[in-house]
């Protein structure tokens, strides 16, 4: 049985593999890096990845490492539903066996015996309801049932990378990052049929992965009847701000529900090192979305050491860090804790040795005491997106304690507050900014909430006193 120490080690290996494929947009190269890592890090006899053909009728072998490295053998093309690999793709069910020579579906039993192949694990690569392919590993020794859990984490990371690579090849022109190419804003405007795109700042060349994320975001927003969309090229990042209608049957936080159409965009954003936030307005049944992608963030990852008292909490936050795209480091020992460590320490322990690493405190209860050394506090209900944001803040020297978090107004909210301070009505503001009155009310309501103001006059006063307008 796989013990907790081994599981943590395997999860860290999965994280390292994820780092190696981050930002890569060549499907075959992604698959090759993953199969190579499975052989080197998990001692697999050989590992393979098949990708589903465009007609969804067959799978093509694109990577093979270990005992066999060729991709043109008898299993180069597998019809959907044929052999075990085809059945895994068709039925979408992971499979593990430690008696491969005795399995009735094995094509050549003598081959398995001669090569001492005992274990087999296969996993479908699923992106939503789409099957991108199948990952399969073969081993000389029995595989622990828990290995499927490890494989699931690896397949999730691999699927995100493969999906981004495959989609970018289909939807983004090769010249997207070259001078003279079709401007990204023009591409977004063609996709965005429900409203007019606003462009702020001078456009610059973006990596294809970032351009795809923005295009995919606009596609999803169009499906949600987007009424406002703005693309901003800032000094450090490109931002996509939008307002759209809540999807049916979703009443809670859009980023906390796997059924949310934004779940895919959130995973892609985390993979690129960006942030995705939503601000709901239940009264009007609309929400504001902000997608931020720092330039060059695809290769920037923050490091975290997880050090919890309870093993279940240790595993839970290790999984959470992996889902957030964070780089896991080994737990800091007493000796190394005194050195100048750069990674963030995520812990609930009161007996942490003296450390120069920034500390994020895991708070079990609302009334729990916060250690004086903590730079940030997270709770047990935190989601990957939120954890990434907190780690990024702490890594960059910003405190994120509850009492130190000050609300900030977006550029649009400050702009509307300035116009309100001049005595303009909602209709006048809407006409001047070329937006609807409901959009103006949306931003005003958000501002009232952020400033804890009872009315517009108090909000204008608070914004002015803080020198935001």
């Amino acid at each position: 049985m796989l013990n907790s120490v081994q599981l943590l080690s395997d999860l860290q290996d999965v994280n390292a593999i994820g780092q190696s494929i981050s930002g890569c947009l060549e499907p075959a190269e992604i698959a090759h890096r993953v199969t190579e890592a499975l052989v080197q890090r998990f001692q697999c006899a050989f590992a393979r990845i098949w990708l589903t053909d465009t007609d969804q009728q067959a799978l093509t072998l694109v990577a093979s490492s270990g005992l066999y490295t060729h991709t043109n053998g008898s299993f180069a093309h597998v019809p959907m539903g044929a052999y075990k690999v085809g059945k895994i793709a068709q039925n979408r069910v992971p499979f593990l066996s430690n008696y491969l020579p005795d399995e009735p579906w094995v094509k050549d039993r003598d081959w398995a015996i001669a090569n001492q192949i005992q274990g087999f694990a296969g996993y479908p690569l699923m992106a939503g309801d789409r099957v991108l392919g199948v990952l399969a590993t073969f081993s000389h020794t029995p595989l622990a049932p828990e290995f499927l859990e490890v494989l699931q984490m690896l397949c999730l990371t691999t699927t995100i990378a493969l999906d981004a690579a495959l989609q970018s090849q289909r939807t983004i022109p090769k010249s997207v990052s070259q001078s003279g190419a079709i401007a990204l804003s023009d591409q977004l405007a063609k996709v965005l049929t429900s409203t007019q795109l606003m462009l702020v700042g001078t456009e610059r060349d973006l990596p294809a992965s970032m351009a795809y994320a923005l295009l995919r975001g606009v596609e999803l927003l169009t499906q949600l009847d987007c009424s406002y969309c703005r693309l901003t090229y800032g000094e450090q990042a490109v931002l996509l701000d939008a307002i759209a209608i809540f999807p049916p049957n979703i009443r809670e936080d859009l980023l906390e529900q796997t059924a949310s159409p934004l779940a895919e965009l959130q995973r892609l954003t985390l993979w690129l090192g960006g942030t995705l936030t939503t601000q709901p307005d239940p009264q009007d049944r609309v929400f504001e979305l902000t997608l931020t992608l720092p330039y060059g963030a695809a290769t920037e990852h923050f490091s975290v050491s997880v050090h919890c008292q309870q093993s279940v909490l240790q595993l839970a936050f290790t999984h959470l860090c992996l889902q957030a795209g964070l780089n896991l480091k080994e737990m800091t020992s007493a000796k190394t804790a005194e050195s100048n460590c750069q990674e963030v320490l995520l812990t609930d322990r009161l007996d942490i040795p003296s450390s120069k690493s920034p500390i994020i405190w895991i708070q079990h209860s609302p009334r729990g005491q916060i250690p004086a050394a903590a730079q940030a506090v997270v709770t047990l209900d935190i989601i990957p997106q939120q954890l990434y944001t907190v780690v990024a803040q702490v890594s960059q020297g910003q405190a994120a304690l509850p009492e130190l978090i000050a609300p900030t107004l977006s550029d649009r909210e400050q702009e509307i507050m300035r116009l309100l301070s001049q005595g303009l009505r909602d209709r006048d503001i809407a006409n001047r900014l070329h937006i609807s009155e409901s959009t103006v009310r949306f931003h005003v309501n958000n501002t009232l909430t952020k400033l804890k103001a009872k009315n517009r006059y108090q909000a204008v006063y608070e914004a002015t006193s803080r020198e935001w307008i």
Side-chain angles (χ1 to χ4, degrees):
M1 182 175 180
L2 204 65
N3 59 42
S4 59
V5 175
Q6 182 62 49
L7 181 57
L8 287 174
S9 175
D10 288 345
L11 289 174
Q12 289 178 345
D13 283 337
V14 168
N15 180 67
I17 298 173
Q19 303 295 333
S20 72
I21 61 178
S22 177
C24 181
L25 286 176
E26 292 295 332
E29 178 61 24
I30 292 171
H32 175 71
R33 293 182 188 180
V34 172
T35 56
E36 283 289 311
L38 280 167
V39 171
Q40 295 172 6
R41 292 178 177 271
F42 293 96
Q43 291 75 50
C44 296
F46 67 102
R48 288 181 163 180
I49 290 180
W50 289 260
L51 293 182
T52 308
D53 295 343
T54 54
D55 59 3
Q56 296 287 303
Q57 298 301 310
L59 300 117
T60 298
L61 182 63
V62 296
S64 182
S65 301
L67 187 60
Y68 301 102
T69 58
H70 60 271
T71 57
N72 58 353
S74 57
F75 289 95
H77 297 281
V78 178
M80 189 68 70
Y83 306 113
K84 197 61 182 180
V85 171
K87 291 186 183 300
I88 290 174
Q90 184 180 64
N91 300 329
R92 308 180 180 190
V93 177
F95 179 83
L96 183 145
S97 172
N98 282 321
Y99 306 96
L100 192 66
D102 298 329
E103 293 287 350
W105 49 266
V106 174
K107 183 179 179 181
D108 189 345
R109 182 174 182 271
D110 294 335
W111 162 85
I113 295 174
N115 288 277
Q116 299 181 335
I117 304 298
Q118 190 172 356
F120 168 84
Y123 210 99
L125 301 174
M126 299 286 299
D129 60 350
R130 296 175 291 119
V131 180
L132 301 185
V134 173
L135 182 150
T137 64
F138 299 79
S139 68
H140 295 302
T141 57
L143 298 170
E146 291 81 2
F147 181 69
L148 274 182
E149 299 296 326
V150 176
L151 203 59
Q152 180 184 23
M153 294 297 299
L154 175 60
C155 287
L156 174 62
T157 302
T158 303
T159 299
I160 294 172
L162 284 173
D163 192 30
L166 292 169
Q167 294 287 353
S168 65
Q169 289 185 349
R170 296 168 187 163
T171 62
I172 300 179
K174 293 183 178 179
S175 58
V176 70
S177 301
Q178 300 173 355
S179 299
I182 300 174
L184 177 60
S185 60
D186 292 337
Q187 298 179 57
L188 296 177
K190 289 181 180 179
V191 175
L192 192 66
T193 57
S194 56
T195 189
Q196 184 177 3
L197 177 72
M198 297 178 61
L199 176 63
V200 179
T202 304
E203 287 200 78
R204 62 168 71 187
D205 292 338
L206 296 177
S209 55
M210 291 178 65
Y212 167 69
L214 293 167
L215 279 167
R216 185 60 181 142
V218 167
E219 287 178 352
L220 293 170
L221 288 167
T222 298
Q223 297 171 15
L224 298 174
D225 197 13
C226 176
S227 60
Y228 168 81
C229 190
R230 180 178 66 181
L231 179 68
T232 303
Y233 285 89
E235 294 183 2
Q236 304 296 329
V238 58
L239 291 85
L240 184 70
D241 297 297
I243 295 177
I245 295 177
F246 260 96
N249 303 321
I250 299 224
R251 295 291 182 266
E252 303 296 333
D253 193 325
L254 284 167
L255 301 181
E256 292 185 4
Q257 301 194 24
T258 57
S260 168
L262 297 180
E264 173 194 347
L265 184 60
Q266 182 189 31
R267 291 192 296 268
L268 180 58
T269 302
L270 287 172
W271 177 65
L272 291 172
T275 58
L276 180 67
T277 60
T278 59
Q279 178 68 41
D281 184 357
Q283 295 180 350
D284 289 341
R285 298 304 307 147
V286 297
F287 69 94
E288 181 181 14
L289 174 143
T290 301
L291 170 61
T292 305
L293 297 175
Y295 303 126
T299 57
E300 180 183 359
H301 296 276
F302 299 105
S303 298
V304 179
S305 292
V306 182
H307 194 182
C308 298
Q309 287 181 314
Q310 302 178 25
S311 59
V312 64
L313 209 58
Q314 178 78 21
L315 291 174
F317 274 88
T318 298
H319 275 280
L320 199 65
C321 288
L322 291 172
Q323 290 176 323
L326 297 167
N327 185 23
L328 277 172
K329 295 292 185 180
E330 294 183 3
M331 290 184 293
T332 307
S333 65
K335 182 178 180 179
T336 59
E338 298 177 356
S339 63
N340 188 20
C341 299
Q342 297 301 316
E343 71 270 8
V344 172
L345 184 60
L346 185 62
T347 184
D348 68 334
R349 300 182 67 94
L350 291 171
D351 58 345
I352 287 293
S354 176
S355 173
K356 294 184 179 180
S357 297
I359 295 176
I360 297 177
W361 175 254
I362 302 172
Q363 191 171 28
H364 293 208
S365 64
R367 298 181 181 180
Q369 184 180 1
I370 301 175
Q375 280 78 44
V377 176
V378 297
T379 57
L380 299 181
D381 59 353
I382 192 169
I383 62 174
Q385 174 79 24
Q386 296 168 337
L387 180 61
Y388 182 93
T389 301
V390 174
V391 171
Q393 289 177 331
V394 172
S395 297
Q396 295 165 357
Q398 304 174 24
L401 291 170
E403 63 271 19
L404 298 179
I405 297 177
T408 58
L409 300 184
S410 66
D411 292 340
R412 176 62 82 186
E413 289 165 350
Q414 292 184 39
E415 191 173 20
I416 290 176
M417 283 293 104
R418 280 195 295 269
L419 295 176
L420 282 176
S421 67
Q422 297 171 16
L424 273 67
R425 297 176 300 175
D426 288 357
R427 181 183 302 175
D428 300 326
I429 295 174
N431 291 335
R432 180 170 297 192
L433 300 180
H434 305 289
I435 58 179
S436 66
E437 289 186 54
S438 63
T439 301
V440 173
R441 290 194 298 272
F442 173 85
H443 287 299
V444 171
N445 290 336
N446 281 348
T447 303
L448 293 176
T449 301
K450 289 181 179 180
L451 299 180
K452 298 181 180 179
K454 296 180 180 180
N455 53 52
R456 298 182 176 205
Y457 302 106
Q458 186 177 354
V460 170
Y461 172 79
E462 289 292 337
T464 304
S465 64
R466 301 184 191 192
E467 298 183 351
W468 289 343
I469 61 174

